Amino acid sequence: MSETTKIVALHGGLLVLLVTLQFLLPAYHHGNLARIMVLASFAIGYNVMFGYTGLLSLGHALFFAAGMYGMGLAVQYAGAGPVVALLAGLAVSVVVALVVGLLALRTAGVGFMIVTLMFAQAGYLTILYFTTWTRGDEGLVLQQAQRTIGSLDLSQPGPRYFAALLLFAICFLVTLWMVRAPFGKVLIAIRENEERARMLGYDVFRYKLAAVVISGTLCGLSGAAYGLLFGYVGATFASVQYSIFPLLWVLLGGAGTVIGPLVGTLFMFYLIDLSSSVTSAYMLVAGVVLVLLTLFAPQGLVGELRARVWRWLP
Amino acid sequence: MSLLSTRGLSRSFSGLRAVHEVDFALPEGEIRALIGPNGAGKTTFVSLLCGRIPPSSGQVIFDGQDISALPAHRRIALGMAYTFQITSVFSRLSVYENVALAARRRVAGRAAVDRAVMRALEQAGLHDRPDQAAGDLSYGHQRLLEIAMGLAQAPRLLILDEPTQGLADSEVAAFKALIRELKATTTILLIEHNMSVVMETADRVTVLNFGEILAEGTPQQIHANAEVQAAYLGTG
Ligand SMILES: Nc1ncnc2c1ncn2[C@@H]1O[C@H](COP(=O)(O)OP(=O)(O)O)[C@@H](O)[C@H]1O
Ligand SMILES: [Mg+2]
């Protein structure tokens, strides 16, 4: 089998599996998986910057929240339908990503981490400051009528699952295509050796900026979808916690792999879910497992799989 | 006409004058060797040419255009290529992909890139291992990969920083042949410690010492120059 055939089989197979699970899973896990797919899309967006371009951001909650609030405010105050609202969320996150990229990319390494963190914190405080419109911590609840496209009611489990899967498939296939295209190879080259990429004639700043915008857009789209599918838009999603989550999911699943973000998100979700059903000290259990994984699978689950078995994994 | 020249080109590192007021001219089509003792400023000098580091003062003129203010990637786009003294390949990418990244700046389309890559790999003698990870290559082969990346760019000016360091004798011989073959299409600035390579390939030689040009001439003239002997061989 050629490399491309294997890649298509694995990634296509995964999408087919997710379609099939819709009809097989019991209600509880069905609902979980819809949520996981949206969060995994967020992680995929994060991975474009962190895993493929080598840019460690500590402020991705900003992009998730930008999409979410762009969507939510459009629904709440402009009476926009779900599709228009989704596009509004998308537009807001593109603009935010462009601005953050232009400013934050003047720094590198620790400086970049701090600047992205500060931007996200500023975004969080802005949401709290405009409590009159954003309802601050309490958040906005979107009604069923506001989440219906034609006869498709996104508050119902079936349509919600498929909408989540559609979002995931888009993010998943976009990154798969991107990292195998010349553009993605340049991002990887920048991650591996920025100076060398520059001396081959690549305008490193522009490529990094493109990575930030693509990453921010995918994360914003995920945030908008999350608000729409689960009917809630709140400031928690802009807090530092939501900047750390995608980093953890990607690290666990395997930075710089296309399926890693889904695997990491799934793993962490069920790790917390299962351990909290056993003990109230579930964060301790989760913490211990995370430490063990970082010790014994430092490249993440899929990263280790690539290093040991499937060398061809993109 | 000079393809490349510099006027008063200088670079200091916190008081240390690594390159000082260098006026240099390299005619199109020439193979020029740049020699000098360790720490003479050779790497710094060529880094100023290709924009890897900014100068403290002075100008670089390429093909009649003052490129002093251009960032590195723009200079490369004008037809310069630079291979690193300290091997600097993309170690987790395949040999093929390393060269393809270089080739794609010049050609587009999978087939054209493939041709350019295989040709560069053949010229450098690495065509039997395109799928190997660059980091798994021996040191000598990583040096050859650096050269292949430079070749794939098909530059007008190829700057090679100690390319034969760490190569086996047979590979050095192949390298000499390659340089002579490139002469028809490429101007070459070659930093080199191996005197046999200098004597057999260079049209002219520039000697750098303490950041300044000490002498310039044919390989024979330089070989016979007492001042150069003193500086370069440390005798005197
Ligand atoms: N980035 C740097 N920072 C400080 N000093 C440097 C730097 N690069 C080179 N130097 C110094 O400049 C001088 C010239 O170095 P270099 O150009 O590498 O010499 P060569 O290539 O001829 O051996 C040396 O004394 C070296 O220590
Ligand atoms: Mg040097």
Side-chain angles (χ1 to χ4, degrees):
Chain A
M1 251 201 300
S2 86
E3 202 162 276
T4 306
T5 319
K6 285 192 246 180
I7 290 168
V8 169
L10 177 75
H11 295 82
L14 179 68
L15 290 180
V16 171
L17 175 70
L18 288 172
V19 173
T20 320
L21 284 175
Q22 143 86 356
F23 306 104
L24 302 178
L25 286 179
Y28 176 67
H29 296 293
H30 181 268
N32 284 348
L33 192 53
R35 198 177 295 268
I36 289 168
M37 285 190 291
V38 179
L39 295 175
S41 304
F42 180 24
I44 286 176
Y46 186 81
N47 196 29
V48 170
M49 251 171 86
F50 174 62
Y52 286 106
T53 320
L55 291 167
L56 203 167
S57 148
L58 291 181
H60 262 54
L62 179 64
F63 303 129
F64 193 70
M68 184 180 259
Y69 274 92
M71 181 282 300
L73 295 176
V75 168
Q76 201 73 359
Y77 300 106
V83 176
V84 174
L86 212 57
L87 292 177
L90 195 69
V92 173
S93 55
V94 171
V95 173
V96 171
L98 194 60
V99 172
V100 170
L102 281 171
L103 296 171
L105 286 174
R106 286 162 201 283
T107 63
V110 177
F112 187 78
M113 289 157 62
I114 292 172
V115 171
T116 48
L117 183 70
M118 299 309 284
F119 267 114
Q121 213 49 25
Y124 178 57
L125 294 174
T126 306
I127 290 169
L128 293 184
Y129 183 81
F130 291 103
T131 295
T132 332
W133 291 282
T134 62
R135 303 272 159 71
D137 273 330
E138 186 188 320
L140 303 164
V141 174
L142 304 184
Q143 304 306 321
Q144 185 178 0
Q146 296 170 310
R147 297 156 62 198
T148 307
I149 308 172
S151 60
L152 210 63
D153 181 354
L154 294 177
S155 67
Q156 294 306 306
R160 179 161 69 194
Y161 186 96
F162 267 111
L165 178 54
L166 181 66
L167 167 78
F168 176 77
I170 290 171
C171 297
F172 187 70
L173 294 175
V174 164
T175 33
L176 178 61
W177 169 79
M178 188 186 85
V179 302
R180 295 183 28 117
F183 171 77
K185 300 290 187 197
V186 179
L187 298 188
I188 294 172
I190 291 172
R191 175 193 75 193
E192 292 291 306
N193 190 340
E194 178 171 340
E195 168 83 341
R196 194 69 180 98
R198 195 160 67 89
M199 295 315 296
L200 285 179
Y202 290 102
D203 186 345
V204 168
F205 182 84
R206 279 180 52 180
Y207 276 91
K208 283 185 181 174
L209 184 62
V212 173
V213 172
I214 293 168
S215 171
T217 306
L218 295 181
C219 293
L221 188 61
S222 311
Y226 195 96
L228 204 55
L229 297 184
F230 301 102
Y232 176 70
V233 171
T236 345
F237 295 107
S239 68
V240 68
Q241 207 182 347
Y242 275 82
S243 291
I244 302 301
F245 279 146
L247 172 62
L248 278 180
W249 295 329
V250 167
L251 280 175
L252 279 178
T257 63
V258 175
I259 55 175
L262 175 68
V263 173
T265 312
L266 190 72
F267 183 87
M268 180 117 148
F269 190 95
Y270 274 102
L271 178 65
I272 291 178
D273 188 65
L274 292 176
S275 51
S276 61
S277 68
V278 180
T279 161
S280 59
Y282 64 93
M283 278 317 275
L284 185 68
V285 177
V288 169
V289 173
L290 293 187
V291 169
L292 288 176
L293 265 173
T294 11
L295 284 178
F296 296 106
Q299 304 188 53
L301 296 166
V302 181
E304 294 296 327
L305 191 66
R306 170 161 68 188
R308 287 153 210 257
V309 202
W310 289 344
R311 307 280 319 232
W312 47 268
L313 269 183
Chain B
M1 194 196 100
S2 292
L3 177 62
L4 176 95
S5 58
T6 70
R7 276 202 289 266
L9 195 62
S10 305
R11 171 70 205 214
S12 315
F13 294 108
S14 48
L16 172 84
R17 299 199 304 204
V19 171
H20 185 59
E21 295 283 339
V22 170
D23 295 317
F24 174 85
L26 178 57
E28 180 132 40
E30 186 172 307
I31 297 179
R32 176 73 63 90
L34 184 61
I35 67 171
N38 270 326
K42 304 180 296 296
T43 296
T44 306
F45 177 66
V46 295
S47 298
L48 294 171
L49 300 180
C50 62
R52 214 182 126 204
I53 55 174
S56 309
S57 62
Q59 288 169 305
V60 181
I61 293 110
F62 183 71
D63 197 21
Q65 182 188 352
D66 186 342
I67 59 166
S68 315
L70 292 187
H73 68 268
R74 298 272 308 275
R75 301 189 194 195
I76 305 296
L78 289 176
M80 282 190 187
Y82 171 73
T83 70
F84 285 57
Q85 173 177 8
I86 315 236
T87 307
S88 180
V89 295
F90 303 108
S91 48
R92 288 203 284 174
L93 302 184
S94 69
V95 166
Y96 183 95
E97 192 54 46
N98 270 270
V99 182
L101 279 160
R104 286 198 203 98
R105 292 299 299 153
R106 184 170 59 84
V107 291
R110 191 176 295 214
V113 170
D114 195 59
R115 270 196 305 276
V117 171
M118 289 323 286
R119 188 174 139 75
L121 285 178
E122 236 156 74
Q123 284 179 304
L126 286 173
H127 51 289
D128 56 340
R129 56 189 79 224
D131 297 325
Q132 201 170 347
D136 294 344
L137 294 175
S138 70
Y139 179 75
H141 283 149
Q142 291 195 15
R143 298 299 304 159
L144 294 176
L145 180 55
E146 276 279 349
I147 295 169
M149 290 163 81
L151 295 177
Q153 290 173 270
R156 295 178 66 191
L157 171 65
L158 177 60
I159 301 172
L160 298 160
D161 198 344
E162 302 202 18
T164 65
Q165 194 186 53
L167 293 193
D169 287 347
S170 62
E171 288 165 339
V172 172
F175 176 77
K176 288 178 196 165
L178 174 61
I179 293 297
R180 283 191 288 260
E181 182 191 320
L182 286 175
K183 185 174 162 58
T185 52
T186 316
T187 307
I188 297 174
L189 179 58
L190 172 69
I191 299 181
E192 188 53 72
H193 272 309
N194 185 329
M195 271 326 208
S196 86
V197 175
V198 174
M199 297 306 288
E200 287 171 45
T201 60
D203 297 315
R204 290 176 71 78
V205 181
T206 299
V207 186
L208 212 58
N209 197 24
F210 295 115
E212 299 184 22
I213 292 182
L214 178 71
E216 208 165 88
T218 64
Q220 288 70 27
Q221 288 167 344
I222 295 299
H223 198 63
N225 185 318
E227 234 185 324
V228 174
Q229 300 263 334
Y232 198 57
L233 305 171
T235 55

